[in-house]
Amino acid sequence: MSKLVTLKDKQFKPYLDEAKIASAVTKVATEINKELENEFPVFLVVLNGSFMFASDLLKEVHIPCHLSFIKLASYHGTSSTGTVTELIGLSEDLSNRTIVVIEDIVDTGTTIEKLVDVLERKNVKKIKIATALLKPDAYKKTINIDYVGLEIPNDFVVGYGLDYDGLGRNLKEIYVLA
């Protein structure tokens, strides 16, 4: 893995390498392929952070599916704002469809809670949540997270789609605040 990375005013040290991430992606894809083999789900990618996870995950999902995107925002700098803003919304008819939400990271659960609320009003059949990373110590909501790549401590991480003020999303590995 690489050495320290500086993004703006903060330094980040190596945390999860490409092999560990790839293994987590394969685990999630295997679970989805098995559990949803008789479904025709819509994968709903939460932008911007989930783009790398979604790309890698969907290469390993072998069931028929549709793909859509939604853009939500809840972070400023290194902390959650506590509110979620829908920047790009859904335009597809999702009635009676199984939805698999693809998230980069679930920490407080505020984004997931907002998104599930929006989806339930669209009369979906069922909602599944897939995340690359879960912070169980930070997650206090009651919505089930169905597919988890890796559980991590409640530390601020960047890379593999995750950012600090828009920087670091392009890093292949995941780094933690040094």
Side-chain angles (χ1 to χ4, degrees):
M1 245 180 109
S2 306
K3 52 187 182 218
L4 286 177
V5 170
T6 301
L7 301 174
K8 286 181 76 171
D9 57 341
K10 303 207 179 308
Q11 284 203 315
F12 297 85
K13 62 185 177 184
Y15 184 61
L16 298 170
D17 65 22
E18 287 182 82
K20 184 93 171 171
I21 295 166
S23 177
V25 170
T26 298
K27 179 183 102 167
V28 171
T30 301
E31 292 172 10
I32 289 170
N33 285 326
K34 183 178 179 185
E35 186 176 328
L36 301 179
E37 68 182 338
N38 297 316
E39 300 274 347
F40 185 51
V42 175
F43 286 90
L44 182 59
V45 181
V46 180
L47 297 173
N48 285 338
S50 299
F51 77 98
M52 279 194 178
F53 176 52
S55 175
D56 290 345
L57 178 67
L58 290 168
K59 290 172 194 168
E60 295 191 42
V61 169
H62 305 298
I63 58 174
C65 62
H66 279 134
L67 178 62
S68 189
F69 300 88
I70 188 167
K71 187 169 184 178
L72 304 170
S74 66
Y75 261 77
H76 181 74
T78 61
S79 58
S80 177
T81 62
T83 59
V84 178
T85 306
E86 190 172 338
L87 304 174
I88 299 173
L90 292 169
S91 57
E92 290 94 342
D93 179 11
L94 301 177
S95 301
N96 205 34
R97 296 294 304 270
T98 296
I99 309 300
V100 180
V101 175
I102 300 179
E103 264 286 20
D104 52 356
I105 190 166
V106 174
D107 46 28
T108 64
T110 303
T111 302
I112 289 295
E113 190 174 65
K114 163 82 173 175
L115 188 50
V116 166
D117 181 55
V118 168
L119 291 171
E120 285 175 342
R121 286 186 266 126
K122 294 188 176 285
N123 301 313
V124 300
K125 180 177 170 184
K126 65 180 153 185
I127 302 166
K128 298 288 192 173
I129 310 294
T131 186
L133 304 172
L134 172 66
K135 294 180 178 180
D137 293 339
Y139 187 67
K140 304 300 179 207
K141 306 294 183 186
T142 58
I143 296 165
N144 187 49
I145 309 302
D146 303 279
Y147 313 107
V148 177
L150 295 163
E151 291 187 359
I152 64 169
N154 192 18
D155 297 323
F156 189 78
V157 292
V158 298
Y160 195 66
L162 300 155
D163 74 300
Y164 168 55
D165 275 351
L167 300 173
R169 290 191 196 277
N170 60 315
L171 299 170
K172 294 180 192 178
E173 296 97 4
I174 294 176
Y175 295 77
V176 66
L177 197 56

